Amino acid sequence: MAASSAGIGTLLCKNINKQIEIFYPTNRRYTWCVIRRICTSISRFRCQGQIKRKSAPKELVGVVGLEVHAQIQSITKLFSGSQVRFQAPPNSLVSFFDASLPGTLPVLNRRCVEAAVMTGLALDCVINRKSLFDRKHYFYADLPAGYQITQQRRPIAVDGTLTYSHLGGTRRNTLITKSVRIKQIQLEQDSGKSLHDDRRGQTLIDLNRAGVGLMELVMEPDMSCGEEAAAAVRELQLILQALGTCQGHMDEGQLRVDANVSVHRPGDPWGVRTEVKNINSGRNLARAIDYEIQRQVGVLKNGGTVQNETRSFDLLSLSYTSPPCVHPSQVVVLEEVRAGLPELPRARRTRLVESYDILPEHSFTLVNEDGLTDYFEAVVKETKAGPRKVIGWVNQVLLGLLHHHSLSVSQSPVTPQMLAQLLNLQENGQISSSVAKQVFQELWRAPGKTAQQIIQEQDLGIVSNTTEIHRICQKVVDSHPDQVQAIRGGNKKVLNKLMGLVQKETKGRADPVLVRSILEEKTS
């Protein structure tokens, strides 16, 4: 939860050394490894009796960890029956519990627990059979209770892994795959929203968001730059959307990222970290992290640090076993949640490449665009055209028009069945490739018609009269003696120009294979 007061932030930052010790225990092991390596080096120096020069200091590199707050896709809040709805009138979705009126008690939302468990399973986490809620005390105007119900000591899931990929290399066409450890996934309440009116010198409070269920996913500091962090968050966003546990609309605050950034020289202990809070887009995340790394590199020449701290209090526990005398509706069964996991983005990309023999970059486009994979597979299922031909139509022709008109895949006027029918007509030799693209444009403008109707109405079918094609080819040859002479002189590329002229005469309806054969015969 973001701090709303610099004074309070300073007050809560006194025990930062203790917090770093708690949250980053790997520093101890890492420091021990460095000491052991130094001792080994000294022993080797003594044995060899040689004097070695000091090596140049290593460059400072970034160390990045993330805390991602994902709003759970649920009808009601985490501990109350208030609805969850974006842009509802201010303070219209606030229950007595949300407002922290005396005597109100929390009632845990089963859906939120299932969503957290499902997310943990998808990220290969260990699901704690028993987890605890804690109180985390804040003193903010938009937090009526004065504390947040969260899970810090014993969360729902721990020790997971997120594998992500991004394009790198000098031409940015090399697929680089990395992974980041998931420290824990915990349930917690969101806060309300403070709206500052600087002109009137007042702050307005909207508690619609107070108590909305969040999953906080804590990623270990395994990343080194903004690009890696942005790729990891994008992969997580796709996983959450595939699971249906979070819609992931960052522009609506459904996915917010806090980045913990420090710099150090490889082999040295980690530097003091700073936290960049509430980042709401992948691009801004990459920019903020890279800027902070560069800022710290500059600051370290003269010195500088940033710190923070929080507290907690025990509440009731969660159990994932089935206790006696408990109604089944109150139990979250791990096996049922595991069985209901959908195909995740990384597995889907791998399956697309292996099943359809397409390029990895094509699988990225299919998976990253919502609904495009289903569209592609529906076309492949109903057409004689090969997957690589279909991918060209889907990723270039269809997607180009969708982006141009700011439409989603589900809003496409051309359905998968319509495209499959068009490709079948081309595969059967009834239309040429240029005519197929022309018909696709007509289908886009007039979705009520079929490809067959458009071809018949505009007489776009392939010219099957070989005598007529011979006549047109002869006409083109006779009217372009210079090109014919160049072809006979060995410049075979000129033949393509003559083919284009023939297709112009036939409005693209001539079989290109037949046209090439006839022209080669007449220019030989």
Side-chain angles (χ1 to χ4, degrees):
M1 178 177 294
S4 61
S5 168
I8 293 172
T10 304
L11 178 64
L12 297 177
C13 291
K14 292 182 178 178
N15 296 329
I16 187 63
N17 293 333
K18 182 178 179 182
Q19 182 181 348
I20 291 177
E21 183 178 339
I22 294 171
F23 283 97
Y24 297 95
T26 51
N27 279 1
R28 295 178 175 177
R29 297 196 297 272
Y30 192 75
T31 306
W32 176 79
C33 292
V34 174
I35 292 172
R36 185 175 66 175
R37 184 161 60 248
I38 292 173
C39 293
T40 304
S41 301
I42 293 173
S43 300
R44 190 179 302 149
F45 167 77
R46 288 174 177 171
C47 292
Q48 293 176 354
Q50 297 176 351
I51 298 177
K52 294 185 178 179
R53 293 182 178 180
K54 281 187 176 180
S55 60
K58 296 178 181 178
E59 292 293 327
L60 289 165
V61 296
V63 178
V64 181
L66 299 178
E67 297 172 15
V68 182
H69 296 83
Q71 180 179 313
I72 298 171
Q73 188 174 345
S74 173
I75 297 174
T76 57
K77 297 183 180 180
L78 182 58
F79 290 111
S80 79
S82 297
Q83 289 190 351
V84 177
R85 190 167 71 249
F86 183 63
Q87 287 187 335
N91 297 308
S92 62
L93 304 176
V94 184
S95 70
F96 291 155
F97 177 79
D98 301 330
S100 296
L101 297 184
T104 55
L105 295 174
V107 178
L108 183 58
N109 185 340
R110 174 193 172 98
R111 159 61 185 165
C112 293
V113 178
E114 287 180 337
V117 172
M118 184 180 292
T119 302
L121 291 173
L123 295 173
D124 296 326
C125 292
V126 176
I127 306 298
N128 285 325
R129 296 284 174 167
K130 183 178 181 181
S131 60
L132 301 173
F133 281 106
D134 306 299
R135 282 184 180 181
K136 203 172 187 180
H137 288 264
Y138 296 98
F139 307 100
Y140 303 154
D142 53 17
L143 193 69
Y147 60 84
Q148 175 197 41
I149 300 179
T150 182
Q151 296 181 305
Q152 186 149 340
R153 293 187 180 89
R154 198 164 181 181
I156 279 186
V158 295
D159 298 335
T161 303
L162 171 66
T163 302
Y164 63 94
S165 302
H166 62 92
L167 296 176
T170 55
R171 300 177 61 185
R172 298 195 62 78
N173 60 353
T174 303
L175 191 65
I176 300 173
T177 300
K178 295 187 176 182
S179 63
V180 56
R181 292 169 294 157
I182 305 293
K183 179 181 179 181
Q184 64 189 59
I185 300 175
Q186 62 197 48
L187 282 173
E188 64 183 29
Q189 297 171 300
D190 206 346
S191 64
K193 188 175 183 180
S194 297
L195 305 170
H196 304 291
D197 187 346
D198 295 332
R199 189 174 64 179
R200 294 184 176 87
Q202 63 183 6
T203 296
L204 304 176
I205 305 297
D206 180 7
L207 294 180
N208 281 347
R209 201 176 65 184
V212 169
L214 298 179
M215 290 182 290
E216 181 176 355
L217 298 97
V218 182
M219 299 185 189
E220 297 283 11
D222 296 337
M223 295 158 283
S224 61
C225 65
E227 183 178 18
E228 291 182 6
V233 169
R234 176 56 177 157
E235 184 72 13
L236 175 63
Q237 183 183 35
L238 291 171
I239 290 173
L240 296 176
Q241 289 170 341
L243 294 171
T245 56
C246 174
Q247 291 180 318
H249 300 316
M250 299 187 79
D251 56 329
E252 296 181 7
Q254 294 177 356
L255 202 66
R256 309 191 294 271
V257 185
D258 299 340
N260 296 302
V261 183
S262 66
V263 296
H264 77 142
R265 289 185 171 85
D268 290 350
W270 289 340
V272 175
R273 64 186 176 93
T274 61
E275 188 174 21
V276 185
K277 301 194 64 83
N278 291 327
I279 306 169
N280 63 355
S281 77
R283 179 178 296 181
N284 288 340
L285 176 64
R287 288 176 175 174
I289 289 173
D290 290 338
Y291 175 83
E292 181 60 22
I293 290 173
Q294 293 303 316
R295 186 190 72 82
Q296 290 189 26
V297 169
V299 166
L300 277 181
K301 295 178 181 178
N302 300 313
T305 59
V306 180
Q307 308 171 5
N308 65 358
E309 184 213 38
T310 57
R311 300 188 209 181
S312 60
F313 184 78
D314 292 339
L315 286 174
L316 295 177
S317 65
L318 286 174
S319 178
Y320 295 97
T321 58
S322 184
C325 304
V326 176
H327 194 273
S329 64
Q330 300 300 316
V331 178
V332 176
V333 183
L334 282 179
E335 290 71 21
E336 292 179 2
V337 177
R338 193 189 306 277
L341 290 177
E343 184 181 40
L344 300 180
R346 185 163 175 259
R348 176 169 282 198
R349 284 192 287 264
T350 301
R351 179 180 62 79
L352 288 171
V353 172
E354 293 177 351
S355 299
Y356 299 109
D357 192 30
I358 61 175
L359 298 176
E361 51 264 36
H362 291 159
S363 71
F364 264 83
T365 304
L366 289 177
V367 174
N368 287 5
E369 196 76 31
D370 186 32
L372 197 60
T373 299
D374 295 336
Y375 190 105
F376 165 76
E377 292 192 295
V379 176
V380 170
K381 186 177 180 181
E382 298 190 29
T383 185
K384 299 176 182 177
R388 288 208 170 190
K389 187 170 187 178
V390 175
I391 199 74
W393 278 87
V394 170
N395 281 8
Q396 296 173 18
V397 182
L398 173 70
L399 204 55
L401 284 170
L402 289 174
H403 288 170
H404 179 73
H405 294 280
S406 300
L407 297 176
S408 64
V409 175
S410 62
Q411 295 172 315
S412 171
V414 181
T415 65
Q417 293 72 27
M418 294 165 68
L419 178 55
Q421 183 192 37
L422 177 61
L423 294 179
N424 284 337
L425 291 171
Q426 184 183 348
E427 290 296 307
N428 293 337
Q430 295 179 250
I431 57 173
S432 64
S433 58
S434 57
V435 167
K437 292 178 181 178
Q438 182 181 342
V439 173
F440 187 90
Q441 296 289 341
E442 291 294 326
L443 288 171
W444 185 275
R445 290 190 288 266
K449 295 183 178 181
T450 66
Q452 190 69 53
Q453 288 174 331
I454 294 172
I455 293 167
Q456 290 175 352
E457 289 174 1
Q458 301 186 19
D459 192 23
L460 297 175
I462 205 83
V463 177
S464 56
N465 189 334
T466 55
T467 303
E468 178 65 13
I469 296 177
H470 269 280
R471 185 189 67 76
I472 295 173
C473 288
Q474 188 62 55
K475 176 182 175 183
V476 170
V477 168
D478 293 342
S479 58
H480 295 83
D482 293 342
Q483 284 80 1
V484 172
Q485 191 62 34
I487 294 170
R488 289 172 177 167
N491 189 352
K492 299 298 183 182
K493 292 183 179 179
V494 181
L495 188 67
N496 293 331
K497 181 178 180 181
L498 298 184
M499 287 185 64
L501 294 170
V502 172
Q503 292 292 1
K504 185 178 180 180
E505 286 284 332
T506 62
K507 298 181 180 179
R509 297 183 298 134
D511 182 358
V513 177
L514 178 60
V515 170
R516 176 175 288 275
S517 175
I518 295 173
L519 287 176
E520 286 177 346
E521 178 185 340
K522 292 183 179 295
T523 57
S524 60

